[in-house]
């Protein structure tokens, strides 16, 4: 006895749902990584401001000046790396969100189709049962 169309469709929907959840988790990871980078860029900016402020103080020794310049250079490098990575991740997030929406539509479509098939299979069963019953005499 073969599987009904409704069951096959329901299994397909479940499979798609599992896929969809996996992509949701992946997107969640990406979003928290973006948040982490964003926070770090903010911290680097705050540090840069502190050192900038320090540079404006009178009576800095040449050594302090060079030290601050070097630190600033490193902070700029860190910030550039983070900004580039952030941009890549933001594009990736956009791609994932589009894909998630498509997967969600697939799941919804299959679930609707499952309901429709279950209904029509139930109606067919009912018709079969009714055809087996003797016709009522008037």
């Amino acid at each position: 006895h073969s599987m009904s169309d409704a069951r096959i469709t329901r299994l397909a929907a479940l499979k798609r749902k599992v896929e969809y959840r996996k992509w949701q988790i992946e997107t969640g990871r990406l979003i928290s990584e973006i948040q982490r980078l964003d926070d770090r860029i903010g911290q680097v900016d705050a540090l840069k401001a502190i050192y900038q402020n320090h540079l404006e103080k009178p009576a800095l020794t040449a050594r302090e000046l060079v030290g601050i310049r070097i630190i600033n250079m490193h902070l700029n490098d860190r910030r550039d790396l983070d900004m580039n990575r952030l941009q890549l991740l933001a594009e990736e997030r956009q791609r994932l969100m589009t894909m998630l929406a498509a997967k969600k539509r697939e799941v919804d479509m299959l679930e609707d189709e499952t309901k429709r098939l279950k209904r029509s299979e139930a109606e067919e069963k009912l018709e079969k049962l009714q055809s087996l019953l003797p016709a009522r005499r008037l």
Side-chain angles (χ1 to χ4, degrees):
H1 158 75
S2 70
M3 271 205 292
S4 74
D5 289 346
R7 253 191 80 159
I8 292 168
T9 310
R10 191 177 66 90
L11 288 174
L14 283 174
K15 192 176 164 199
R16 290 290 193 297
K17 213 174 210 166
V18 169
E19 262 175 45
Y20 174 69
R21 292 268 184 273
K22 267 193 244 166
W23 285 108
Q24 262 186 326
I25 291 167
E26 190 55 37
T27 306
R29 271 197 211 112
L30 196 66
I31 289 170
S32 60
E33 168 76 358
I34 286 173
Q35 188 55 59
R36 203 178 59 74
L37 276 171
D38 218 27
D39 292 347
R40 191 163 66 193
I41 289 167
Q43 291 164 352
V44 167
D45 285 344
L47 274 176
K48 279 170 61 74
I50 289 168
Y51 283 113
Q52 192 54 49
N53 200 18
H54 201 69
L55 274 178
E56 288 155 17
K57 286 189 177 153
L60 273 184
T61 66
R63 179 184 232 154
E64 285 175 314
L65 203 58
V66 168
I68 290 174
R69 290 256 159 78
I70 289 171
I71 288 169
N72 209 25
M73 217 173 60
H74 286 306
L75 288 174
N76 284 336
D77 288 347
R78 174 77 270 158
R79 191 176 194 287
D80 288 347
L81 284 172
D82 286 349
M83 291 296 279
N84 290 337
R85 177 132 179 83
L86 190 66
Q87 196 173 358
L88 278 175
L89 292 179
E91 287 166 14
E92 179 69 2
R93 178 182 58 191
Q94 199 47 56
R95 196 180 67 77
L96 280 177
M97 296 303 256
T98 306
M99 203 165 68
L100 265 180
K103 293 210 175 285
K104 179 78 173 96
R105 277 194 304 274
E106 256 180 46
V107 169
D108 292 345
M109 225 173 56
L110 284 167
E111 285 178 343
D112 290 347
E113 181 63 5
T114 302
K115 284 177 199 154
R116 194 188 63 73
L117 286 168
K118 272 185 180 164
R119 265 197 313 274
S120 79
E121 284 170 14
E123 283 164 14
E124 273 174 38
K125 266 187 193 158
L126 193 62
E127 279 170 20
K128 255 190 201 147
L129 279 175
Q130 284 172 342
S131 73
L132 295 175
L133 295 174
R136 289 185 31 218
R137 291 211 177 101
L138 296 173

